[in-house]
mmCIF file of all heavy atoms in Angstrom:
data_model
loop_
_atom_site.group_PDB
_atom_site.id
_atom_site.type_symbol
_atom_site.label_atom_id
_atom_site.label_comp_id
_atom_site.label_asym_id
_atom_site.label_seq_id
_atom_site.Cartn_x
_atom_site.Cartn_y
_atom_site.Cartn_z
ATOM 1 N N VAL A 1427 85.367 92.853 68.090
ATOM 2 C CA VAL A 1427 85.551 93.799 69.189
ATOM 3 C C VAL A 1427 84.854 93.264 70.432
ATOM 4 O O VAL A 1427 83.725 92.784 70.391
ATOM 5 C CB VAL A 1427 84.989 95.185 68.799
ATOM 6 C CG1 VAL A 1427 85.001 96.112 69.997
ATOM 7 C CG2 VAL A 1427 85.786 95.768 67.666
ATOM 8 N N GLY A 1428 85.561 93.384 71.566
ATOM 9 C CA GLY A 1428 84.974 92.984 72.837
ATOM 10 C C GLY A 1428 84.897 91.463 73.055
ATOM 11 O O GLY A 1428 84.248 91.052 74.040
ATOM 12 N N GLN A 1429 85.526 90.690 72.228
ATOM 13 C CA GLN A 1429 85.439 89.216 72.315
ATOM 14 C C GLN A 1429 86.639 88.573 73.007
ATOM 15 O O GLN A 1429 86.722 87.338 73.070
ATOM 16 C CB GLN A 1429 85.280 88.618 70.936
ATOM 17 C CG GLN A 1429 84.054 89.084 70.171
ATOM 18 C CD GLN A 1429 82.785 88.778 70.916
ATOM 19 O OE1 GLN A 1429 82.554 87.626 71.337
ATOM 20 N NE2 GLN A 1429 81.921 89.785 71.130
ATOM 21 N N ALA A 1430 87.553 89.383 73.534
ATOM 22 C CA ALA A 1430 88.728 88.802 74.207
ATOM 23 C C ALA A 1430 88.280 88.077 75.477
ATOM 24 O O ALA A 1430 87.382 88.526 76.177
ATOM 25 C CB ALA A 1430 89.742 89.867 74.554
ATOM 26 N N ARG A 1431 88.924 86.993 75.757
ATOM 27 C CA ARG A 1431 88.631 86.240 76.992
ATOM 28 C C ARG A 1431 89.926 85.939 77.742
ATOM 29 O O ARG A 1431 90.968 85.723 77.132
ATOM 30 C CB ARG A 1431 87.888 84.915 76.681
ATOM 31 C CG ARG A 1431 88.688 83.971 75.789
ATOM 32 C CD ARG A 1431 87.869 82.708 75.484
ATOM 33 N NE ARG A 1431 88.630 81.754 74.675
ATOM 34 C CZ ARG A 1431 88.687 81.782 73.363
ATOM 35 N NH1 ARG A 1431 87.972 82.682 72.694
ATOM 36 N NH2 ARG A 1431 89.403 80.891 72.700
ATOM 37 N N ALA A 1432 89.837 85.941 79.034
ATOM 38 C CA ALA A 1432 91.009 85.696 79.913
ATOM 39 C C ALA A 1432 91.309 84.182 79.916
ATOM 40 O O ALA A 1432 90.375 83.358 79.936
ATOM 41 C CB ALA A 1432 90.769 86.210 81.305
ATOM 42 N N THR A 1433 92.587 83.857 79.942
ATOM 43 C CA THR A 1433 92.984 82.454 79.962
ATOM 44 C C THR A 1433 93.806 82.068 81.196
ATOM 45 O O THR A 1433 93.625 80.947 81.711
ATOM 46 C CB THR A 1433 93.791 82.114 78.710
ATOM 47 O OG1 THR A 1433 94.936 82.985 78.633
ATOM 48 C CG2 THR A 1433 92.973 82.285 77.453
ATOM 49 N N VAL A 1434 94.665 82.944 81.689
ATOM 50 C CA VAL A 1434 95.492 82.600 82.818
ATOM 51 C C VAL A 1434 95.953 83.872 83.464
ATOM 52 O O VAL A 1434 96.049 84.957 82.824
ATOM 53 C CB VAL A 1434 96.725 81.744 82.350
ATOM 54 C CG1 VAL A 1434 97.677 82.572 81.488
ATOM 55 C CG2 VAL A 1434 97.468 81.158 83.578
ATOM 56 N N ALA A 1435 96.240 83.798 84.791
ATOM 57 C CA ALA A 1435 96.704 84.970 85.538
ATOM 58 C C ALA A 1435 97.824 84.565 86.481
ATOM 59 O O ALA A 1435 97.808 83.480 87.066
ATOM 60 C CB ALA A 1435 95.563 85.608 86.330
ATOM 61 N N LEU A 1436 98.812 85.443 86.619
ATOM 62 C CA LEU A 1436 99.933 85.247 87.527
ATOM 63 C C LEU A 1436 100.102 86.461 88.412
ATOM 64 O O LEU A 1436 99.884 87.604 88.001
ATOM 65 C CB LEU A 1436 101.253 85.024 86.753
ATOM 66 C CG LEU A 1436 101.429 83.733 85.949
ATOM 67 C CD1 LEU A 1436 102.747 83.811 85.180
ATOM 68 C CD2 LEU A 1436 101.425 82.530 86.884
ATOM 69 N N LEU A 1437 100.523 86.238 89.657
ATOM 70 C CA LEU A 1437 100.909 87.291 90.571
ATOM 71 C C LEU A 1437 102.388 87.134 90.872
ATOM 72 O O LEU A 1437 102.811 86.060 91.362
ATOM 73 C CB LEU A 1437 100.081 87.245 91.847
ATOM 74 C CG LEU A 1437 100.298 88.410 92.835
ATOM 75 C CD1 LEU A 1437 99.712 89.689 92.225
ATOM 76 C CD2 LEU A 1437 99.632 88.095 94.167
ATOM 77 N N LEU A 1438 103.160 88.132 90.574
ATOM 78 C CA LEU A 1438 104.612 88.074 90.760
ATOM 79 C C LEU A 1438 105.011 89.090 91.829
ATOM 80 O O LEU A 1438 104.619 90.253 91.792
ATOM 81 C CB LEU A 1438 105.330 88.414 89.445
ATOM 82 C CG LEU A 1438 104.972 87.516 88.266
ATOM 83 C CD1 LEU A 1438 104.055 88.218 87.294
ATOM 84 C CD2 LEU A 1438 106.215 87.074 87.539
ATOM 85 N N CYS A 1439 105.762 88.587 92.808
ATOM 86 C CA CYS A 1439 106.168 89.446 93.945
ATOM 87 C C CYS A 1439 107.648 89.331 94.202
ATOM 88 O O CYS A 1439 108.277 88.340 93.881
ATOM 89 C CB CYS A 1439 105.421 88.994 95.227
ATOM 90 S SG CYS A 1439 103.621 89.035 95.107
ATOM 91 N N GLU A 1440 108.190 90.394 94.809
ATOM 92 C CA GLU A 1440 109.566 90.367 95.321
ATOM 93 C C GLU A 1440 109.386 90.328 96.861
ATOM 94 O O GLU A 1440 108.880 91.236 97.450
ATOM 95 C CB GLU A 1440 110.305 91.615 94.874
ATOM 96 C CG GLU A 1440 111.821 91.579 95.154
ATOM 97 C CD GLU A 1440 112.137 91.737 96.640
ATOM 98 O OE1 GLU A 1440 111.758 92.773 97.189
ATOM 99 O OE2 GLU A 1440 112.738 90.809 97.200
ATOM 100 N N GLU A 1441 109.790 89.201 97.468
ATOM 101 C CA GLU A 1441 109.392 88.899 98.838
ATOM 102 C C GLU A 1441 110.116 89.720 99.890
ATOM 103 O O GLU A 1441 109.563 89.971 100.966
ATOM 104 C CB GLU A 1441 109.604 87.408 99.123
ATOM 105 C CG GLU A 1441 108.573 86.490 98.470
ATOM 106 C CD GLU A 1441 108.668 85.080 99.027
ATOM 107 O OE1 GLU A 1441 109.798 84.636 99.236
ATOM 108 O OE2 GLU A 1441 107.606 84.464 99.243
ATOM 109 N N ILE A 1442 111.340 90.075 99.678
ATOM 110 C CA ILE A 1442 112.153 90.704 100.729
ATOM 111 C C ILE A 1442 111.630 92.116 101.075
ATOM 112 O O ILE A 1442 111.267 92.412 102.200
ATOM 113 C CB ILE A 1442 113.624 90.693 100.357
ATOM 114 C CG1 ILE A 1442 114.138 89.248 100.248
ATOM 115 C CG2 ILE A 1442 114.430 91.456 101.418
ATOM 116 C CD1 ILE A 1442 115.554 89.111 99.774
ATOM 117 N N PHE A 1443 111.630 92.997 100.073
ATOM 118 C CA PHE A 1443 111.149 94.347 100.309
ATOM 119 C C PHE A 1443 109.651 94.467 100.059
ATOM 120 O O PHE A 1443 108.971 95.262 100.698
ATOM 121 C CB PHE A 1443 111.911 95.358 99.443
ATOM 122 C CG PHE A 1443 113.340 95.537 99.831
ATOM 123 C CD1 PHE A 1443 114.334 95.678 98.864
ATOM 124 C CD2 PHE A 1443 113.706 95.561 101.154
ATOM 125 C CE1 PHE A 1443 115.670 95.857 99.233
ATOM 126 C CE2 PHE A 1443 115.049 95.745 101.534
ATOM 127 C CZ PHE A 1443 116.014 95.869 100.569
ATOM 128 N N ASN A 1444 109.131 93.690 99.119
ATOM 129 C CA ASN A 1444 107.676 93.594 98.860
ATOM 130 C C ASN A 1444 107.067 94.992 98.633
ATOM 131 O O ASN A 1444 105.985 95.315 99.134
ATOM 132 C CB ASN A 1444 106.974 92.884 99.991
ATOM 133 C CG ASN A 1444 105.541 92.443 99.596
ATOM 134 O OD1 ASN A 1444 105.236 92.322 98.434
ATOM 135 N ND2 ASN A 1444 104.708 92.262 100.588
ATOM 136 N N ASP A 1445 107.729 95.830 97.818
ATOM 137 C CA ASP A 1445 107.213 97.133 97.545
ATOM 138 C C ASP A 1445 105.988 97.105 96.636
ATOM 139 O O ASP A 1445 105.144 97.999 96.692
ATOM 140 C CB ASP A 1445 108.297 98.014 96.849
ATOM 141 C CG ASP A 1445 109.330 98.511 97.829
ATOM 142 O OD1 ASP A 1445 108.931 98.935 98.948
ATOM 143 O OD2 ASP A 1445 110.518 98.497 97.511
#
Side-chain angles (χ1 to χ4, degrees):
V1427 173
Q1429 299 302 308
R1431 60 181 182 273
T1433 57
V1434 67
L1436 291 176
L1437 187 69
L1438 302 104
C1439 302
E1440 191 287 302
E1441 286 192 320
I1442 296 174
F1443 291 141
N1444 195 22
D1445 284 318

